[in-house]
Amino acid sequence: MADAYWRYADPRQQVAVPQAAPAATPTPFKRPRPEFGGAPELVGYYPRDEDNTKHAGAIYASYDPYSQNGMPYAAAADPARTISGGRPVDDPRIPVHPSMDSRVMGYGGGRMDAPLPPDASNTLFVEGLPGNCTRREASHIFRPFVGFREVRLVNKDSKHPGGDTFVLCFVDFIAPSQAAVALDALQGYSIDEHDPEAGRLKLQFARFPGPRSSGGPRHRR
DNA sequence: AGCACA
């Protein structure tokens, strides 16, 4: 029962990247297997859907890569795939209570009663990243968090001359509550495990949350 | 300590 549940919960990832399986691709498997065209670096993170299907649920609890591309969810597109009583479970834009959303259990499970600070916003202001930190690298840190949208890096040089340049980071989330979870989880996070004092992340809510996330002038090709 | 992009 529960097995079947997750077995049908899995197709989310299959439909999420439709362009990954062009007509030319032969599919020797029973079901079309996604080639992870959207996020190849995540291949190792996904369990093959043979046996540990319940683990898949646990992983989806923490990882929500599909909310970034604005892709329609399989659950929303195909009513037959809808789980959990007809509600499109994956719509993070709906501010559900953590207790209702199993995906939040990964990082936010213990704090469903955490009240949001009054200055909570969708955007986090992160400092403490090393000066050579890349956008990709910073994204790796925040992407696992539910509601993650995008990260923006800003290079600044220190006040007094001679100081080394540092990196500011603005991280957009879909909802302030989701930003709060990441803020709390990554507060004091050591970038470099060998030199813990070098990169301790300090996170706050950004003063002027301005998600330029979707549709902004990006150097896209 | 530091808060940018539209």
Side-chain angles (χ1 to χ4, degrees):
Chain A
M1 181 57 178
D3 289 324
Y5 176 88
W6 286 114
R7 205 169 296 278
Y8 285 105
D10 279 341
R12 285 190 293 158
Q13 72 181 38
Q14 300 178 2
V15 191
V17 194
Q19 70 275 22
T25 301
T27 51
F29 306 99
K30 294 180 274 192
R31 284 171 285 143
R33 177 167 296 192
E35 299 304 321
F36 306 104
E41 69 273 18
L42 288 181
V43 163
Y45 292 177
Y46 287 98
R48 310 213 173 259
D49 50 1
E50 264 73 33
D51 42 14
N52 46 359
T53 46
K54 281 170 185 169
H55 273 74
I59 286 183
Y60 288 130
S62 312
Y63 283 71
D64 191 13
Y66 306 116
S67 56
Q68 319 171 25
N69 354 354
M71 290 269 188
Y73 298 107
D78 185 357
R81 297 219 166 103
T82 305
I83 30 188
S84 145
R87 182 170 67 87
V89 281
D90 282 25
D91 196 344
R93 288 155 296 196
I94 301 178
V96 294
H97 278 289
S99 56
M100 299 173 56
D101 194 342
S102 62
R103 296 171 307 137
V104 188
M105 295 308 289
Y107 279 108
R111 43 185 56 264
M112 40 177 143
D113 53 346
L116 287 184
D119 62 330
S121 67
N122 295 27
T123 307
L124 292 182
F125 170 61
V126 184
E127 46 187 332
L129 289 172
N132 57 356
C133 181
T134 67
R135 179 179 148 95
R136 167 187 296 176
E137 196 174 355
S139 299
H140 281 356
I141 303 177
F142 295 99
R143 196 178 318 179
F145 290 90
V146 173
F148 170 80
R149 253 202 224 264
E150 80 160 2
V151 67
R152 295 186 294 274
L153 295 184
V154 178
N155 287 78
K156 305 273 287 190
D157 36 348
S158 66
K159 300 283 179 59
H160 27 273
D164 45 352
T165 173
F166 61 98
V167 170
L168 300 186
C169 178
F170 295 88
V171 189
D172 282 336
F173 287 83
I174 292 174
S177 61
Q178 298 164 331
V181 171
L183 183 149
D184 202 55
L186 294 177
Q187 195 66 265
Y189 176 80
S190 293
I191 297 292
D192 189 348
E193 59 177 348
H194 300 300
D195 189 4
E197 300 312 313
R200 291 272 193 203
L201 285 195
K202 286 151 297 216
L203 299 92
Q204 320 163 34
F205 289 104
R207 295 205 188 101
F208 308 108
R212 192 205 30 187
S213 54
S214 48
R218 178 117 311 138
H219 39 282
R220 271 309 251 184
R221 218 154 36 106

